Amino acid sequence: MKKRRRMLQGAIALAIVVILVLAVVIRYEKEEKEPSVAAVADPTDVLQSVPDRWAEISQWRMASPSFETNADTPLILYRNEQNKQVVFVRQGSIFFETVEGEEGAPLIKLSGQQAFYWVNGDNLLIGVTLKPDNPESYLRGKWYALRMQEETKPTVIEVENAFQDPESVLSVSIADNPELFVLAIADDVKRYREYVYRPGYNELLPINMETGKGGEAAYDRFIEQRPSAAGKPLAFRKVTSAQDGSGETLRSLEDERGTIIVATWGSDNQGYMRYPGYRAERLVWKTDVLGQRHPFVLLNSGDNDHNGDKVGQRMLSFPFNGSVSVLEADEELLDENWRMVDFRSFYRESEGTIDTIRYVMTGVRYESAIVRRHFNSELPLVREEGGLLTFRDSTGMSRSLSVFDLLFSSGELNQMWLGQSVSLAEFEDESLESRPTIKEKLPQKILDIAWGETNVPEEVQKAMTTADSSGENCVFNCDPDYWAQLQIRSIDGVWYVLKEKQLYRLDGDGFKLVGELPVTLQLTIGEGANGYTAQDYIRADGSWYIADTFADRVIRLTDKFEIDGVLEMPMPTRLHADEDGKLKIESLKGSTTVGLEKLNIVLQSPVPTIDGGKRSGEGTEVDAASYYEDTVTGNEWIAAFNGNVFMVSKQGNRTKLLRHFIGYPENGRTISKILPYGKDIFVLLENRMVRFANNGQWKETISFYEAPGVCNVWADGEGSYAYDAKQGLAYLVHGCSIYEIDLQRGTGQPIFTQEEARFGKLAEYGGNVYFSVEGSAGTYSMVPYPYSNVLVALDKASGNVTRYRLDKGWVSERLAGDGEGARSEVGGKGMGTGTGTGAGAGGRGSERLAEDGDGNGTGSEVGGKGTRGTGSNGAAFLWFAYKSYSGVVAENQAQAATLDLSQIATEALMVP
């Protein structure tokens, strides 16, 4: 029995040995014949030692730049020999494995059949092509990024705003420090765009382009250099670095198409700008007066070969300053001693001398004109803070200058020193915005004449409506922000419409362009814009006759609209051809009759009177400054309706009218102001004044000398004025200047200019004109520079200027009395906007703020109560309103404040 047991145990042992031998043989033969099967073992099946597993992984194939996602065989996307890490794709998923601890769950489940990938160091960018059911869908790709870690599984990022088909990628270039993928992706068979992906972020960002003065030609060359499809990532042929500060990088990446400027700064700022055809010469970080850092680059288009140094077209650029980012090259601005104020203004102080450079826009997308100024302060600079330069004289007194005054003011240095900072008494709420108006019962005929339109048949109106509703082929009123005046006439039974310079004819149900007239247009700009054209046109004796109103002429045109005759005429508005071969013209001169053939004047008559009928039962509201009643003649003047001036005279219980068309203002906020002086009536607009005799006949139109320089803003005080009726002098805010209007001499010229600044409203007190000046409001930055706002006191007699520091946001509004809020604009019935010394004009509404020296205000000699300009204690209060150009206002910010002008000193020295 024991013998049989031993035999059985021996047989079992032999069988086990045989089975083990067979297993080894079978495994050996299988490995010899099918090694790839062993390579696709499930990553969760841990059976081998570390060396054996990594040896197997080493046998897997690397994926091609384009790969199928559903392959059964693993395809390696990333392998790190040192850390023994691998990322691979198999059966529609991406896996990560490390031999020290395998991860079985997929990192990413792919939703497409075809994918592409690129590697930059330890970063992967993966794009999957999608085939949407809707052929109109913009979603053509799904993008992922993997960022490898040393000891843990990689970070997976779904790139959220990337929808491009990765199959459209033409090339990928890579960079490090910072790590970047730069992709050129085709839009169609011709055009392409560039994008950048920065590892660790979830966005695929477009790379903006700046062509400089190369414009469309540079862009076309860039398109012609369309890269060929390439699988492997490319390297940039030259990388230039700036001297970076903490947390900053600034690089230029140069390739055959030009240069890409790359910058990262702050907590999370990044910027990318392509300059086609340019190479970077120098890159620096520039610190502005507020301490903010900006990339600043000098570029050259002369030679885009990294071995060349040919000098071509050079330019400076702040790459990330929006559309206006190019400056003409002035290499010295890259130096540290040139301080940056804003993106186009710089200054340098050295041993008492101050140099400034600013750029003025001369094109749509770039700035090129350089304005240089040089000052000699002869004082040492002791402090620079936020654009305020503080100097100290030999007595130890401090004197300050604002860099904005240095950059933009037209005065000399002695006109720019700042006095002490004024202290305002603030109020939580005070309404300062309303413009004074009055209600007068006017003849209805005035409104009928001013706003009357041509009687247009219904079929013509229908055709015009159809023309405006035809989409891209819209003819007349097509822009919601622009209104064009249409002059509609019926000539020889045919309807015509003149819009701007284009003359259209109604032909059937539609309008056809007849031609373009050589006429002058006038533009009024407000929140939108209005465009005005020739006020009348007729056809007579085989020619066209045009009232070219805003060129002060009547012209005769041939059928080809060529000028065949010209007659100078102030503001012609109406034309009429008589049967006897005469042309009658209505203009500021009155009624003029001329011969059709030679345009010679045959008869000149004054402006005819019009029966105005009875006054309306209800009052019509008009601006107080646009109404004046002459108590000597009893005539009323109104300059308020559609570019017209009316004189109304009483005829029993009816009225007679004289009507003059004087044109429109350039600024939509401008109101016409009536200024009586002597026996004449002046109507003041922002750039001209029209003079009438008190009987209503026109005398002359006086255009003002335009201030030189640049003014890209409308002043807050635009149109504000102060009028001294006794001296016949008015002071007017227009654009970036204060104008002195001399009614006696018939002149108007700027006496104070600060380019690209915002002026507040005028107030007159003690022989000075006061107004606020915000020096930085015209810049392209909305950053609140703390020392750019000043109060200016302009001496009327000498023209001397004293400046006082004014807290940011405060804008001069009006002069009040002793604090009870009397409006300086309301000097009496009529003529309501402005301040000044009254007396002498003789009329209801002509009075102005009178200042008699004893602290009590008086009205003018004739015609009513004037506003008080000084209180019983000699105080004169200038009101201010708070305005924020950035749109951000602190919750507890006061909205109004006052300043006692009698208490501010004229000494321009600061406290020691």
Side-chain angles (χ1 to χ4, degrees), residues 49-63:
S49 64
V50 170
D52 291 342
R53 179 61 178 163
W54 192 250
E56 288 183 23
I57 291 173
S58 299
Q59 299 300 312
W60 296 354
R61 291 189 296 112
M62 291 296 298

Side-chain angles (χ1 to χ4, degrees), residues 673-821:
K673 307 162 187 65
I674 301 176
L675 307 179
Y677 181 69
K679 296 183 178 180
D680 291 336
I681 303 295
F682 292 81
V683 179
L684 179 65
L685 287 86
E686 75 270 67
N687 59 359
R688 64 191 186 278
M689 60 181 173
V690 186
R691 184 176 188 174
F692 298 94
N694 63 4
N695 65 358
Q697 297 300 316
W698 172 80
K699 280 190 169 183
E700 61 178 335
T701 298
I702 302 166
S703 297
F704 302 152
Y705 170 76
E706 288 290 334
V710 178
C711 187
N712 293 324
V713 297
W714 291 121
D716 293 279
E718 178 70 34
S720 169
Y721 74 107
Y723 178 41
D724 183 341
K726 186 175 182 179
Q727 299 295 325
L729 294 175
Y731 298 88
L732 174 73
V733 178
H734 174 45
C736 298
S737 297
I738 303 297
Y739 283 76
E740 183 182 68
I741 318 297
D742 190 325
L743 275 61
Q744 183 177 4
R745 297 181 179 179
T747 60
Q749 59 184 359
I751 57 172
F752 179 92
T753 296
Q754 186 144 327
E755 295 183 45
E756 305 198 30
R758 288 183 182 270
F759 287 39
K761 293 178 182 178
L762 288 177
E764 186 182 30
Y765 170 74
N768 292 326
V769 175
Y770 293 87
F771 51 93
S772 62
V773 177
E774 170 51 74
S776 71
T779 67
Y780 294 97
S781 171
M782 300 304 287
V783 177
Y785 298 95
Y787 302 111
S788 61
N789 201 25
V790 298
L791 176 66
V792 174
L794 175 62
D795 187 286
K796 295 193 302 178
S798 67
N800 291 334
V801 169
T802 305
R803 301 171 190 256
Y804 305 93
R805 285 170 49 186
L806 190 61
D807 287 344
K808 193 74 176 182
W810 290 108
V811 180
S812 59
E813 277 288 327
R814 58 177 171 83
L815 196 67
D818 55 3
E820 61 188 20

Side-chain angles (χ1 to χ4, degrees), residues 594-606:
V594 302
L596 287 173
E597 182 179 354
K598 297 182 179 181
L599 294 181
N600 57 308
I601 297 178
V602 176
L603 179 64
Q604 179 66 59
S605 304

